[in-house]
Amino acid sequence: MHSVPYGGRNEKRRYPTGMLPPPPRNNGWIDATEASAPALDPRLLEKLRDVVGVEHVIGDPDVMASYAVDWSGRFRGAASVVLRPGNGLEVAAVVDVCREAGVALVPQGGNTGLVGGGVPLHGEAVLSLRRLSRITDVDQVGGQFTAEAGVSVADVQTAAHAAGWDYGIDLGSRDSATVGGTIATNAGGLQVLRYGATRAQLLGVEAVFGTGATVSHLGGLTKDNTGYDLGGLLCGSEGTLGVVTAARLRLVPQTPERVVAVLGFASTSAAVETAFLLRQSLPDLHSLELFLEEGLALVCATSGLTPPFADGHRAYLLAEVASQRDPMPEVVEVLESVPWIDAVAVATEPARRAQLWRYRELHTEAVNTLGAPHKLDVTLPATALASFIDAVPGVVREVAPGATTWLFGHAADGNVHVNITGVEPDDLTVDERVLVFAAELGGSISAEHGIGRAKIHWLSLTRSPAEIHAMAAIKAALDPDGVLNPGVLLPLGPRPRGDQVAAG
Ligand code: 2HG
Ligand code: ZN
């Protein structure tokens, strides 16, 4: 048994492991390459061509293949068709046609998701939003603009810069991840400690619900307490309630003066303690990331990077401080006050800063060179973070002696990415063990990647029956025919019509 104290936050809604049904060996959603998608009625295809244009109804299996597998290679399916509408009106028409025909749609942006929520694992049609790629109505004074769903996060950042502002979201997959996808998952990333996750950047959205109804709330008022926040509801709904077609995004002030520091520690607890200390004493702290010696060694081995220090250290923090004035004096003063930091590498030049960031950002890619990993993205309360990190490799070994556990993440948010290699893709025993362990410590089974199909079985670990029932009722109201991303986030069941809302 582990002697880690229980966190108090989720005390009321913890479920003993014995209450869970046994973990599925294979939910039928992993590596469904053999499964072919159903052929669609030619008359339906004709209608869809009328809506989006002949060239945007894609049926060529070779072209469709890239839409049917996720980035990590773990979730692989087959699409019945790929539809590429060019604007919100076409999206609404596609949803209407498919709803009437009973054809399920999987909305897809940059396909950078990691939980199988954006790929057609059961022969669904893919609704690609990538052609919705405009940024409009730039308000330089108010610091906001409207971005369509298919704009990449990198392009939002560039447009924000051009307007004299910045965007509060940054993530490793910035070049591919899209506005729509980041809203669907309420993506977090590298600057959550300063600006919050994607939901905090939204001033409104335009979306098509599963009912076919379009809502558009793009006025951009910062304060607008006029009933339910539908944008906030759609954010994190993983494409199960509506298809976001555009969003009004709030921008943040530019902070061009930057210092990046990589710090080495003899223990995880020293690193975690420092993380919370830096958060408290550096108001301009922008990012605070954590990685461990094994992960750094793998990154260096796979990328050819030279390690930051001659000696190895058990744990590392990467801190970025960003301000409109030179933050260096403040950074030096704070770092000098922490006696247990064993090594420091500091950079101010953009190229050298980027080099330091690579030690952290290359983790995902480095782990993937070992085969498709099991990815578990959990958050812990601050008080349980170090204990979780130290204990979780042992917890994994108990059920999978041959497995290797790779840990890295966003220290200030208590968000750890647990990547496990050396386990068969369809053996979910380790997934269950790690998620139960995180829940036991008062954590969440998904910090920023979502539930998708990968974690649906364990939603009840951190959400109560009443919460799941409320979610199913919302799904029934906004997508009564179950046309949008069925089997994602909430279990597949009888069609979720209003009179048959299941408790999950
Ligand atoms: C990150 O923080 C991403 O780098 C990916 O959220 C995490 O690969 C992962 O598990
Ligand atoms: Zn992350």
Side-chain angles (χ1 to χ4, degrees):
M1 287 307 289
H2 304 279
S3 55
V4 186
Y6 281 101
R9 191 169 59 86
N10 284 346
E11 204 74 32
K12 283 197 296 293
R13 59 182 193 220
R14 262 191 292 111
Y15 295 88
T17 322
M19 279 177 66
L20 288 171
R25 175 84 194 161
N26 183 335
N27 277 352
W29 42 252
I30 292 175
D31 198 3
T33 9
E34 302 307 318
S36 57
L40 296 182
D41 182 337
R43 280 164 307 181
L44 171 66
L45 289 172
E46 204 45 52
K47 276 191 195 170
L48 291 167
R49 286 188 197 107
D50 284 348
V51 172
V52 298
V54 179
E55 68 275 36
H56 298 302
V57 175
I58 298 168
D60 177 341
D62 290 340
V63 181
M64 289 198 295
S66 68
Y67 294 85
V69 59
D70 80 324
W71 180 88
S72 75
R74 185 163 177 225
F75 299 97
R76 192 181 292 275
S80 55
V81 68
V82 173
L83 305 166
R84 292 170 34 93
N87 58 48
L89 288 175
E90 290 182 9
V91 172
V94 166
V95 170
D96 245 348
V97 169
C98 288
R99 193 175 49 81
E100 268 170 31
V103 170
L105 289 165
V106 173
Q108 192 183 90
N111 196 8
T112 57
L114 294 169
V115 287
V119 278
L121 299 181
H122 295 290
E124 298 92 341
V126 169
L127 178 59
S128 169
L129 280 309
R130 279 185 247 177
R131 286 184 61 224
L132 278 67
S133 57
R134 283 165 303 182
I135 291 180
T136 62
D137 302 297
V138 179
D139 175 356
Q140 278 182 281
V141 178
Q144 50 177 268
F145 56 53
T146 299
E148 290 187 336
V151 179
S152 71
V153 170
D155 285 346
V156 170
Q157 293 171 343
T158 306
H161 265 261
W165 295 83
D166 212 333
Y167 184 47
I169 295 295
D170 190 27
L171 53 166
S173 55
R174 62 185 75 77
D175 291 325
S176 308
T178 59
V179 165
T182 51
I183 293 174
T185 53
N186 186 27
L190 308 170
Q191 302 174 171
V192 170
L193 81 103
R194 192 162 202 180
Y195 302 119
T198 298
R199 189 176 289 117
Q201 322 308 320
L202 290 184
L203 294 171
V205 300
E206 179 185 88
V208 181
F209 289 132
T211 55
T214 297
V215 286
S216 185
H217 201 80
L218 298 174
L221 297 175
T222 301
K223 291 182 133 182
D224 186 10
N225 282 352
T226 50
Y228 300 142
D229 176 4
L230 298 175
L233 175 65
L234 286 165
C235 190
S237 66
E238 304 189 33
T240 62
L241 303 177
V243 183
V244 172
T245 51
R248 190 78 186 155
L249 300 175
R250 98 179 159 97
L251 306 177
V252 298
Q254 293 184 353
T255 49
E257 299 295 324
R258 294 186 179 218
V259 173
V260 173
V262 170
L263 313 173
F265 300 88
S267 68
T268 316
S269 52
V272 168
E273 202 172 314
T274 307
F276 292 111
L277 201 145
L278 296 185
R279 225 185 108 194
Q280 216 174 5
S281 43
L282 287 171
D284 289 325
L285 192 61
H286 204 70
S287 299
L288 190 50
E289 301 292 306
L290 177 131
F291 49 92
L292 301 179
E293 57 185 336
E294 305 84 0
L296 177 66
L298 183 67
V299 163
C300 292
T302 52
S303 67
L305 285 181
T306 310
F309 309 114
D311 296 332
H313 301 272
R314 170 70 199 124
Y316 298 86
L317 287 180
L318 181 150
E320 176 154 330
V321 182
S323 173
Q324 293 184 345
R325 280 165 295 280
D326 180 11
M328 188 61 107
E330 196 187 350
V331 171
V332 169
E333 191 187 323
V334 172
L335 294 185
E336 278 180 357
S337 73
V338 189
W340 57 84
I341 300 176
D342 292 333
V344 180
V346 177
T348 51
E349 288 301 305
R352 177 66 185 138
R353 287 190 336 234
Q355 232 174 3
L356 292 182
W357 263 107
R358 296 184 76 208
Y359 295 122
R360 163 63 181 89
E361 287 203 315
L362 289 180
H363 269 69
T364 299
E365 217 171 294
V367 172
N368 244 53
T369 63
L370 305 175
H374 288 235
K375 282 187 175 288
L376 302 158
D377 150 52
V378 298
T379 354
L380 281 304
T383 48
L385 184 57
S387 326
F388 176 86
I389 293 171
D390 284 339
V392 79
V395 167
V396 168
R397 270 194 307 274
E398 277 170 18
V399 291
T404 309
T405 305
W406 308 93
L407 300 166
F408 54 97
H410 314 286
D413 312 332
N415 180 183
V416 188
H417 296 306
V418 183
N419 281 219
I420 303 165
T421 54
V423 177
E424 289 300 314
D426 64 350
D427 181 354
L428 305 180
T429 320
V430 284
D431 302 50
E432 167 144 326
R433 200 56 206 94
V434 171
L435 297 180
V436 167
F437 186 48
E440 282 174 351
L441 295 177
S444 168
I445 64 164
S446 172
E448 59 174 2
H449 296 167
I451 296 296
R453 287 187 168 92
K455 293 183 183 168
I456 202 164
H457 181 71
W458 298 289
L459 185 59
S460 63
L461 280 172
T462 51
R463 302 307 293 260
S464 69
E467 285 176 303
I468 294 172
H469 187 269
M471 290 192 219
I474 294 167
K475 168 83 176 169
L478 298 183
D479 182 24
D481 300 302
V483 73
L484 294 181
N485 245 358
V488 167
L489 180 53
L490 293 168
L492 263 183
R495 285 196 161 188
R497 293 192 183 280
D499 55 347
Q500 322 175 347
V501 173

